[in-house]
Amino acid sequence: MNLKRMAMYSAMTTLVIATQNATANELIQNKGSDTLVNVAQAWAETYPTIQPGVTVAVSGGGSGTGIAAMINGTVDIANSSRKMKDKEKKRAKESGQDPVEFIVGYDALAVFIHEDNPADTFTFKQLGRIFGRGGDATRWSDLGITVPGCGSDEIVVVSRQNNSGTYAYFKSSVLKSAAKSGVISKGSFRQGTLDMHGSKDVVDLVENTPCAIGYSGLAYATEHLKLACISTEDGAPCVSPSVKTASDRSYPIARPLFMYTNGQPQGAVKGYMDWILSESGQCILKGKGYAPMRDVNCP
C-alpha cells in the first residue's frame, strides 16, 4: 500500500471511530426549576465520570417552564419544586405524554432579610401581612421594627415570577394559611411586589436593600443575609431553615423537590435517575445545601 492510500485509509478509520463515538454518546435534556438548577448542574457535571457515554444538558427557567417542556415532549426530565397540577397532567396526557413523578430531595424555603435588619422571627400571619393581597404591613414600623439604613421605612417585598414553583409553594403554604386565619382576605400575593426571574436575583436584591424581604430556596443563602426563624402560629416556637430541619420536616416551609420523566424511565434516563437517588447522587445534593431523601454517609 503506497503512502497516499495509507493516509486515506487512516483518515477513513479515524472518521468511522469518531462517528461511532458520536453515535454512542446519549444526550439527556433536563429543564425546569430554578431552585434545583444548581444541584442539577452539579449532577450533570459529575455523571459523565460515572457513565462516560451520557451527556446531560441542564437549563432553568422555572418549574412551570420545565413542566411545559415535558408536556410538549421536548425534554427527558423536568425539574420542579412543586407537584404537577391536575390540569398540567391532563394536558400531558392529551399530548401523548405520561409524566412519572420522583421525589429527589427536600428543600427549606427560607425567608431572607438584610443582615442589618433587627428582626429574627416571623409568623405565618406576619408574612401574610407583608406578602399577601390586602395585608396591612407596608412599612417596617407596622411590625414594630426599625431597620437601619431603611430611611423610607417602606417594606420592599421581593417575590418570584408566577411560573416559579417557589412562588406557588409560598402561596399555597404561607399565604393560604394567613388567609384562613383572617389576616388577609384570600391567599394571593399583594400587588407591587418585585418579581425576580431567579432565586439568585432575590438574594442579590435583598443583600443590597436594607428595606427588603424575600424568599427562596435555602441553597441560595449567603453569609450576607439573615435567615428568619419561622413559626406557624403566634406564640408557637419558631424553627430555623437548615438541611436538618428540612430533612425531618420540622421547618414549616420545607418542601419536596421533584423530577418528572415521560413514563417509567428507560435506558440512559433510568441509569441517570437511579444514580441521582443513590448515595453518591444524594451526597452531591446534600453538598449543595439540600436535604437528601434519607441518611447518607458522605465523604
Side-chain angles (χ1 to χ4, degrees):
M1 186 181 294
N2 61 36
L3 292 177
K4 183 176 180 181
R5 293 180 69 183
M6 287 177 64
M8 289 176 62
Y9 179 79
S10 176
M12 289 174 64
T13 302
T14 301
L15 177 60
V16 169
I17 292 171
T19 303
Q20 287 174 339
N21 287 341
T23 303
N25 284 338
E26 295 195 57
L27 176 64
I28 297 173
Q29 293 285 356
N30 180 210
K31 186 172 189 173
S33 168
D34 187 70
T35 297
L36 267 167
V37 73
N38 282 347
V39 69
Q41 287 172 341
W43 281 328
E45 289 167 6
T46 304
Y47 194 62
T49 67
I50 309 297
Q51 192 63 256
V54 179
T55 300
V56 183
V58 175
S59 57
S63 298
T65 300
I67 289 169
M70 167 64 65
I71 292 170
N72 294 332
T74 57
V75 294
D76 300 292
I77 303 170
N79 298 337
S80 181
S81 58
R82 62 165 175 83
K83 289 180 74 70
M84 283 186 73
K85 301 172 184 176
D86 289 341
K87 63 182 180 181
E88 291 169 332
K89 293 177 181 178
K90 181 181 178 183
R91 289 209 316 271
K93 295 287 186 183
E94 291 170 349
S95 299
Q97 310 300 318
D98 180 25
V100 174
E101 177 184 288
F102 295 86
I103 296 176
V104 296
Y106 293 88
D107 180 39
L109 203 165
V111 175
F112 300 131
I113 51 178
H114 191 269
E115 60 184 345
D116 293 335
N117 193 317
D120 292 309
T121 67
F122 290 98
T123 65
F124 274 18
K125 285 183 180 180
Q126 288 175 318
L127 293 174
R129 292 173 63 195
I130 294 168
F131 286 91
R133 184 166 298 185
D136 63 354
T138 58
R139 298 183 177 275
W140 285 108
S141 56
D142 294 331
L143 299 170
I145 299 168
T146 301
V147 181
C150 179
S152 68
D153 190 35
E154 180 183 357
I155 301 176
V156 176
V157 183
V158 186
S159 183
R160 289 291 309 281
Q161 293 179 324
N162 61 10
N163 69 335
S164 159
T166 302
Y167 168 100
Y169 194 78
F170 191 90
K171 179 180 176 181
S172 65
S173 60
V174 176
L175 298 187
K176 286 191 176 179
S177 174
K180 286 180 181 178
S181 69
V183 172
I184 52 178
S185 57
K186 58 182 182 178
S188 57
F189 282 88
R190 72 163 65 244
Q191 294 179 320
T193 59
L194 299 180
D195 298 339
M196 300 291 104
H197 180 70
S199 296
K200 187 177 184 302
D201 300 323
V202 173
V203 167
D204 289 344
L205 183 55
V206 176
E207 269 191 356
N208 294 289
T209 310
C211 296
I213 182 171
Y215 61 90
S216 187
L218 175 64
Y220 285 86
T222 73
E223 60 184 8
H224 302 297
L225 288 167
K226 183 182 283 190
L227 280 63
C229 192
I230 305 298
S231 61
T232 55
E233 299 176 359
D234 296 341
C238 71
V239 180
S240 295
S242 69
V243 170
K244 181 180 184 301
T245 59
S247 293
D248 64 20
R249 309 315 177 263
S250 60
Y251 182 65
I253 328 178
R255 56 180 174 165
L257 300 171
F258 303 96
M259 294 178 104
Y260 288 91
T261 62
N262 178 27
Q264 288 295 337
Q266 305 292 327
V269 175
K270 182 181 187 306
Y272 187 52
M273 292 301 304
D274 288 347
W275 175 77
I276 284 172
L277 295 171
S278 73
E279 185 154 289
S280 177
Q282 290 292 291
C283 282
I284 290 173
L285 177 129
K286 185 177 181 181
K288 286 295 181 179
Y290 304 86
M293 293 287 297
R294 60 189 180 279
D295 290 336
V296 289
N297 295 313
C298 303

